């Protein structure tokens, strides 16, 4: 993620770099919107809620980015653990600070593993700390492609 200065920032997907490097390997990252809606909508509403969107998402994809209120984003995913039934879900968050997860003035990135989708949903809601209705979210699918080695002159 590109660095920014200031307390409040309107986060967009353009803030994410589309290339990343690990050791001497380069990767391209592609994001595409999958679903959008409001976090706490009722099940019978024509607007999708987060629970329905996550169920649909994980039936088709493994890694995604949940973007909420233009201020927060978390990476979500599912590991099918080589064919085992169910698998584990995960959430990576590098924007949480203060309560309810940390002490006042404290912040750090963390990776959280959940055994069920319902527990992942609960952890996302706690991490986002959204207390009002009709807060919009967007769920993006993420694909990562190997782009070759990093050459010495780069």
């Amino acid at each position: 993620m590109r660095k920014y200065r200031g307390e409040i920032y309107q986060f967009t997907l353009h803030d994410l770099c589309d290339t990343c490097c690990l050791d001497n390997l380069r990767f391209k990252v592609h994001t595409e919107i999958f679903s959008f809606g409001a976090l706490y909508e009722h099940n019978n509403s024509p607007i999708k809620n987060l629970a329905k969107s996550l169920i649909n998402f994980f039936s088709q994809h493994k890694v995604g980015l949940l973007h909420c209120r233009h201020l927060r984003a978390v990476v979500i995913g599912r590991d099918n653990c080589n064919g085992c039934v169910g698998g584990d879900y995960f959430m990576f968050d590098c924007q949480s600070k203060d309560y309810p997860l940390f002490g006042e003035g404290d912040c750090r990135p963390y990776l959280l593993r959940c055994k069920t989708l319902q527990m992942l949903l609960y952890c996302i809601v706690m991490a986002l700390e959204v207390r009002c209705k009709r807060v919009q979210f967007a769920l993006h699918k993420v694909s990562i492609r190997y782009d070759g080695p990093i050459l010495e002159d780069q």
Side-chain angles (χ1 to χ4, degrees):
M1 192 163 133
R2 295 186 179 96
K3 295 186 185 226
Y4 64 90
R5 303 233 189 275
E7 281 295 311
I8 298 176
Y9 181 74
Q10 292 287 323
F11 173 82
T12 68
L13 287 182
H14 299 295
D15 294 316
L16 298 175
C17 299
D18 63 349
T19 58
C20 62
C21 300
L22 180 64
D23 291 330
N24 291 328
L25 307 174
R26 183 185 358 252
F27 297 90
K28 279 293 234 191
V29 179
H30 175 73
T31 59
E32 185 178 327
I33 192 151
F34 175 81
S35 180
F36 58 91
L39 288 179
Y40 306 132
E41 282 297 314
H42 295 288
N43 277 336
N44 56 1
S45 171
I47 300 170
K48 278 189 179 176
N49 63 27
L50 183 56
K52 280 185 184 177
S53 291
L54 288 174
I55 290 168
N56 291 338
F57 179 81
F58 285 121
S59 70
Q60 301 173 43
H61 305 288
K62 285 187 172 189
V63 179
L65 178 80
L66 177 64
H67 185 208
C68 182
R69 293 196 311 189
H70 302 292
L71 295 172
R72 298 276 283 116
V74 295
V75 174
I76 58 170
R78 183 173 189 185
D79 178 18
N80 289 342
C81 59
N82 298 324
C84 68
V85 177
D88 291 340
Y89 298 91
F90 70 85
M91 176 181 91
F92 175 73
D93 183 7
C94 63
Q95 293 180 300
S96 281
K97 66 178 188 176
D98 297 331
Y99 301 107
L101 300 177
F102 303 112
E104 188 174 344
D106 196 11
C107 63
R108 64 180 62 103
Y110 65 94
L111 180 66
L112 188 65
R113 187 180 107 191
C114 302
K115 290 287 187 186
T116 65
L117 184 56
Q118 183 162 348
M119 182 55 74
L120 177 68
L121 176 62
Y122 175 79
C123 292
I124 290 170
V125 168
M126 291 300 294
L128 294 178
E129 200 180 356
V130 174
R131 296 184 177 138
C132 51
K133 294 182 179 181
R134 300 280 168 130
V135 173
Q136 294 180 350
F137 72 87
L139 186 54
H140 304 267
K141 63 182 182 175
V142 176
S143 58
I144 302 169
R145 177 177 49 90
Y146 174 65
D147 203 33
I150 298 173
L151 304 175
E152 292 294 324
D153 59 340
Q154 294 179 334

